[in-house]
Amino acid sequence: MDTLLSQGDHKRNGQGFLIPISGAQEAIQRAMIRLSVPKGSFAPNPKLGSRLFLLGKAPERQTEELALEYAKEALLEEEQVQATAVRQTERSQGSMELEIMLSYLGEDSEEGAQYAVRLHF
């Protein structure tokens, strides 16, 4: 069991208590952390993270293909979540937005459960 994160901090309920999460919500949150952290930047575990931050240097025609490869690589240790598709939704000078489709494969999942997450780089 974990606690819900929102905009880089713990989310709290109306009484100020941390909000517990489990199942699909917890697995998707772990996946988002792995996708959004630059690989090698977390000292306690340099293997944690993704290479998605490198996409700004890639040719635009290869962005989605590389993004899917990087997302799959980042989620290798997440047995319950897989990246299935990536779509670039925005690209401007120095930044981009990706929509990544994640498939949750946990025991409590509905068949074919898909989650879309948006990340900004």
Side-chain angles (χ1 to χ4, degrees):
M1 186 179 295
D2 204 349
T3 57
L4 184 61
L5 299 175
S6 177
Q7 298 179 350
D9 200 359
H10 293 279
K11 190 162 186 169
R12 297 178 182 271
N13 64 17
Q15 297 172 322
F17 295 110
L18 297 175
I19 301 170
I21 58 172
S22 60
Q25 192 175 18
E26 180 181 12
I28 297 300
Q29 179 171 280
R30 277 195 320 262
M32 287 187 64
I33 291 169
R34 287 185 176 278
L35 293 170
S36 60
V37 170
K39 188 169 191 141
S41 68
F42 186 60
N45 183 358
K47 294 179 181 180
L48 180 97
S50 75
R51 295 188 293 159
L52 290 168
F53 70 98
L54 298 173
L55 290 173
K57 299 175 184 176
E60 193 164 348
R61 68 184 186 285
Q62 294 179 327
T63 301
E64 291 180 358
E65 181 180 340
L66 279 172
L68 182 58
E69 179 183 327
Y70 292 165
K72 285 181 176 185
E73 175 187 83
L75 298 176
L76 282 175
E77 293 184 27
E78 283 296 324
E79 296 175 6
Q80 296 179 324
V81 181
Q82 293 178 346
T84 57
V86 174
R87 183 172 65 97
Q88 181 179 313
T89 57
E90 186 180 310
R91 186 173 188 150
S92 60
Q93 191 72 18
S95 70
M96 80 172 56
E97 180 180 273
L98 298 173
E99 181 179 71
I100 302 174
M101 294 302 296
L102 301 176
S103 180
Y104 174 65
L105 310 168
E107 291 178 14
D108 61 333
S109 72
E110 296 177 24
E111 190 171 328
Q114 294 279 313
Y115 299 85
V117 297
R118 287 184 183 250
L119 298 172
H120 301 271
F121 295 94

